[in-house]
């Protein structure tokens, strides 16, 4: 590789097609760079510093200027280092390259992933059909040896997912998404591309990647089978973005209980909600064989007593009483104070609630003795505290506060990372960006009305 004096770093994860794209571009250009491996379940401070918006890889850092999103990174590399052009020079051809690369991300990557990791047969068939349609578009578009002509370029690099990852995914899921018979031009292209010396030396090892996807697929299949064993009618009335609804969903997913989720509206309470919860008229409401239960902690205890696998509460009476005590403490002290810290506009009152939040979190910090409040596995108190782990960081960002930091509460912060990255919790949490936007809008409305 040619040596450049610039400080060039790439934060990535082995096995990511998006990281691989950037590595192909760098290796094609002969750019020397420092590779910093990240972890799926433990985001480094460096990653959070360089990509605070999405908190994901790849992140390319050139002379301490960070850039994220693989296609954006590749364009930057191509404009900065002129050897071995990746994008066409002619504006229309360049626009087409950008179009097809976005098409690959929006259509091919999404549909193929869903085709494999969707267990419901009907939905899977729809995703497979969608994958066929998308790949046929690419088949029809391919006019030369590569999408970039006689040498590979921007679209080819974007399509590394099609060439390398789809064959792995289809083997994992027992599908035939991408074959030489169905897509002969695209298949020939994939062999040319994968065997190009630059690409070949950049691709991640196939076997560990296959093992990872296979394990993930089998986990989904096993969970689906477990959920299918429960024939009871189970419904949950909820609202996306509610920490109390999220608590119940974590408990249900931990137990592998199949349930029907019925989304409610804050400003228009449904007849069903008023029927099942005429007292408080709010979510969550859990309905088991037409028996409704409300209040999240009450619901979780019912779930734990009804479905015995993966216990949530301790069996020993004193430990169970302590779990109930600390869960109530979280609702009475932490939730109320943190909410008021952000959504109280009066500065003096806000300072009071911030101090209350510090005191409450410090008490929890002192109480945390193990990996989780529940011991080595998360339990009742951990589920109750999802508000602290996920919602308080959102609140403090909305209000420009520092309520919950790793410096002030090191044990609690470490617990939050372990908890949020637990597979059951991670797949249950609501999407962060829409939730943040909603909380931010509420805050700005309050500020504007002051």
């Amino acid at each position: 590789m040619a040596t450049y004096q610039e400080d060039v770093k790439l934060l990535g994860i082995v096995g990511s097609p998006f990281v691989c794209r950037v590595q192909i571009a760098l290796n094609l250009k002969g750019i020397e760079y420092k590779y910093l491996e990240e972890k799926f379940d433990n985001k480094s401070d460096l990653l959070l510093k360089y990509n605070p918006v999405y908190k994901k890889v790849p992140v390319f850092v050139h002379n301490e200027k960070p850039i994220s999103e693989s296609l954006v990174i590749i364009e930057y590399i191509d404009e900065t280092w002129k050897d071995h052009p990746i994008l066409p020079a002619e504006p229309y051809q360049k626009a087409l390259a950008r179009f097809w690369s976005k098409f690959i991300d929006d259509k091919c990557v999404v549909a193929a992933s869903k085709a494999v990791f969707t267990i419901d047969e009907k939905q899977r068939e729809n995703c497979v059909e969608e994958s066929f349609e998308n790949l046929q578009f690419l088949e029809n578009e391919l006019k030369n040896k590569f999408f970039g002509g006689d040498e590979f370029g921007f679209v080819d690099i974007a399509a590394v997912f099609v060439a390398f990852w789809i064959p792995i995914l289809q083997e994992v899921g027992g599908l035939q998404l991408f074959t030489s018979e169905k897509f002969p031009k695209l298949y020939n292209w994939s062999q040319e591309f994968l065997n190009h010396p630059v690409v070949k030396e950049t691709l991640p090892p196939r076997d560990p990647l296959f093992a990872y996807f296979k394990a993930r697929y089998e986990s989904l299949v096993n969970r689906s089978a477990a959920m299918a064993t429960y024939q009871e009618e189970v419904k949950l009335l909820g609202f996306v973005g509610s920490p109390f609804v999220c608590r119940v969903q974590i408990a249900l997913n931990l137990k592998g209980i199949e349930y029907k989720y019925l989304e409610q509206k804050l400003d228009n309470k449904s007849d069903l909600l008023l029927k099942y919860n005429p007292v408080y008229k709010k979510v969550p409401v859990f309905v088991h064989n037409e028996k409704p239960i409300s209040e999240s902690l009450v619901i979780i205890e019912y779930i734990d007593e009804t479905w015995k696998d993966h216990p949530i509460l301790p069996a020993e009476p004193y430990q169970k009483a302590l779990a109930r005590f600390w869960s109530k403490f979280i609702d009475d002290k932490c939730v109320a104070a943190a909410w008021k810290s952000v959504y109280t506009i009066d500065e003096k009152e806000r300072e009071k609630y911030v101090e209350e939040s510090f005191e409450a979190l410090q008490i929890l910090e002192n109480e945390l003795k193990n990996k989780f409040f529940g011991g080595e596995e998360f339990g009742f108190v951990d589920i109750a505290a999802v508000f602290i782990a996920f919602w308080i960081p959102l609140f403090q960002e909305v209000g420009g506060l520092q309520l919950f930091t790793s410096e002030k509460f090191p044990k609690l912060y470490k617990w939050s990372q372990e908890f949020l990255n637990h597979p059951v919790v991670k797949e249950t949490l609501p999407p962060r960006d829409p939730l943040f936007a909603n909380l931010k809008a509420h805050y700005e409305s309050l500020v504007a009305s002051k």
Side-chain angles (χ1 to χ4, degrees):
M1 285 186 178
T3 302
Y4 292 85
Q5 297 305 312
E6 291 99 337
D7 177 29
V8 179
K9 295 189 288 258
L10 176 64
L11 283 68
I13 291 173
V14 170
S16 163
F18 308 106
V19 174
C20 184
R21 286 174 174 176
V22 179
Q23 291 175 305
I24 291 171
L26 289 167
N27 292 342
L28 176 65
K29 298 273 189 180
I31 301 166
E32 186 175 349
Y33 64 97
K34 183 177 181 182
Y35 177 75
L36 302 170
E37 178 72 11
E38 292 291 316
K39 293 181 180 178
F40 277 112
D41 55 354
N42 190 13
K43 297 179 188 207
S44 72
D45 293 338
L46 208 59
L47 176 59
L48 299 177
K49 170 190 171 185
Y50 285 136
N51 191 2
V53 178
Y54 289 108
K55 301 178 178 67
K56 64 181 183 180
V57 295
V59 180
F60 180 73
V61 187
H62 182 206
N63 293 333
E64 282 306 300
K65 296 180 294 186
I67 307 160
S68 58
E69 297 298 297
S70 63
L71 298 180
V72 176
I73 294 169
I74 294 169
E75 287 216 49
Y76 175 83
I77 290 169
D78 199 38
E79 290 168 354
T80 305
W81 289 274
K82 303 299 184 181
D83 291 344
H84 301 286
I86 294 172
L87 275 149
E90 198 276 319
Y92 180 67
Q93 293 303 316
K94 187 181 289 185
L96 287 180
R98 288 172 177 145
F99 171 85
W100 286 111
S101 298
K102 189 174 186 301
F103 172 84
I104 289 163
D105 274 2
D106 292 348
K107 298 294 186 178
C108 301
V109 173
V110 174
S113 298
K114 286 183 177 177
V116 176
F117 294 110
T118 297
I119 303 302
D120 180 86
E121 282 302 320
K122 190 169 183 181
Q123 289 181 14
R124 175 182 259 209
E125 285 173 12
N126 290 338
C127 293
V128 167
E129 188 58 38
E130 192 178 332
S131 288
F132 286 156
E133 290 175 6
N134 297 333
L135 292 174
Q136 190 60 56
F137 276 119
L138 287 181
E139 173 84 3
N140 297 341
E141 178 61 20
L142 188 58
K143 306 294 193 301
N144 300 294
K145 181 179 177 181
F146 297 109
F147 288 97
D150 289 328
E151 297 294 331
F152 74 79
F154 194 62
V155 180
D156 303 279
I157 295 173
V160 69
F161 177 86
V162 176
F164 187 71
W165 269 262
I166 285 184
I168 293 175
L169 291 176
Q170 70 182 6
E171 187 178 344
V172 163
L175 302 173
Q176 292 289 301
L177 296 177
F178 178 36
T179 64
S180 57
E181 294 78 21
K182 195 165 184 68
F183 305 107
K185 291 196 296 179
L186 205 55
Y187 184 83
N188 287 339
W189 159 83
S190 74
Q191 299 309 296
E192 291 280 357
F193 182 61
L194 295 179
N195 284 296
H196 189 287
V198 170
V199 178
K200 196 170 185 177
E201 73 171 16
T202 308
L203 294 170
R206 187 187 188 280
D207 291 347
L209 192 56
F210 175 82
Y212 166 77
F213 285 126
K214 188 70 173 174
R216 183 180 161 197
Y217 174 77
E218 289 174 350
S219 173
L220 283 171
V221 170
N222 292 337
R223 184 180 160 207
S224 177
M227 291 173 74
T229 62
Y230 296 97
Q231 299 302 316
E232 294 99 335
E233 184 189 21
V234 179
K235 292 183 288 208
L236 176 64
L237 282 67
F239 176 77
V240 171
S242 163
F244 308 105
V245 173
C246 185
R247 286 174 175 175
V248 178
Q249 290 175 306
I250 290 171
L252 289 166
N253 291 341
L254 177 64
K255 298 273 189 179
I257 301 166
E258 186 174 358
Y259 64 97
K260 184 177 182 180
Y261 177 76
L262 302 169
E263 177 73 9
Q264 302 298 301
K265 293 182 179 179
L266 288 176
D267 56 352
N268 188 14
K269 298 177 195 285
S270 71
D271 292 340
L272 207 58
L273 176 59
L274 299 176
K275 169 190 171 184
Y276 286 136
N277 191 2
V279 178
Y280 288 108
K281 304 178 178 66
K282 65 180 183 180
V283 295
V285 181
F286 180 74
V287 187
H288 183 205
N289 293 331
E290 282 306 301
K291 296 180 293 185
I293 307 159
S294 58
E295 296 301 296
S296 63
L297 298 180
V298 176
I299 294 168
I300 294 169
E301 286 216 50
Y302 175 84
I303 290 169
D304 199 39
E305 291 168 355
T306 305
W307 290 273
K308 303 298 183 182
D309 289 344
H310 301 288
I312 294 172
L313 277 149
E316 198 275 320
Y318 181 67
Q319 294 301 318
K320 188 180 289 185
L322 286 179
R324 289 172 176 145
F325 171 85
W326 286 113
S327 299
K328 188 173 187 302
F329 173 86
I330 288 164
D331 275 2
D332 292 349
K333 298 295 184 180
C334 301
V335 173
W339 180 272
K340 289 177 180 177
S341 294
V342 176
Y343 292 109
T344 296
I345 303 303
D346 181 86
E347 284 301 322
K348 193 169 182 181
E349 284 190 41
R350 175 183 261 207
E351 286 173 11
K352 181 183 76 171
Y353 292 126
V354 168
E355 190 58 38
E356 280 184 26
S357 291
F358 287 155
E359 289 174 7
L361 291 173
Q362 188 60 57
I363 291 170
L364 283 180
E365 174 85 2
N366 297 340
E367 177 61 20
L368 187 57
K369 305 294 193 302
N370 299 295
K371 181 179 178 181
F372 296 109
F373 288 98
E376 288 304 307
E377 296 294 331
F378 74 78
F380 195 64
V381 180
D382 304 279
I383 295 173
V386 68
F387 176 85
I388 296 168
F390 187 71
W391 270 263
I392 286 186
L394 285 170
F395 281 168
Q396 67 183 9
E397 188 177 342
V398 163
L401 302 172
Q402 290 291 303
L403 296 177
F404 179 37
T405 65
S406 57
E407 294 77 21
K408 195 165 183 68
F409 305 107
K411 291 197 296 180
L412 207 54
Y413 185 83
K414 186 178 179 183
W415 158 83
S416 74
Q417 300 309 297
E418 291 279 358
F419 182 61
L420 294 179
N421 284 295
H422 188 288
V424 170
V425 178
K426 197 171 185 177
E427 72 175 17
T428 307
L429 293 170
R432 186 187 187 280
D433 292 348
L435 182 56
F436 175 81
N438 183 51
L439 295 171
K440 186 73 172 175
H442 180 51
Y443 174 77
E444 289 174 348
S445 173
L446 282 174
V447 171
S449 67
K450 184 180 176 184

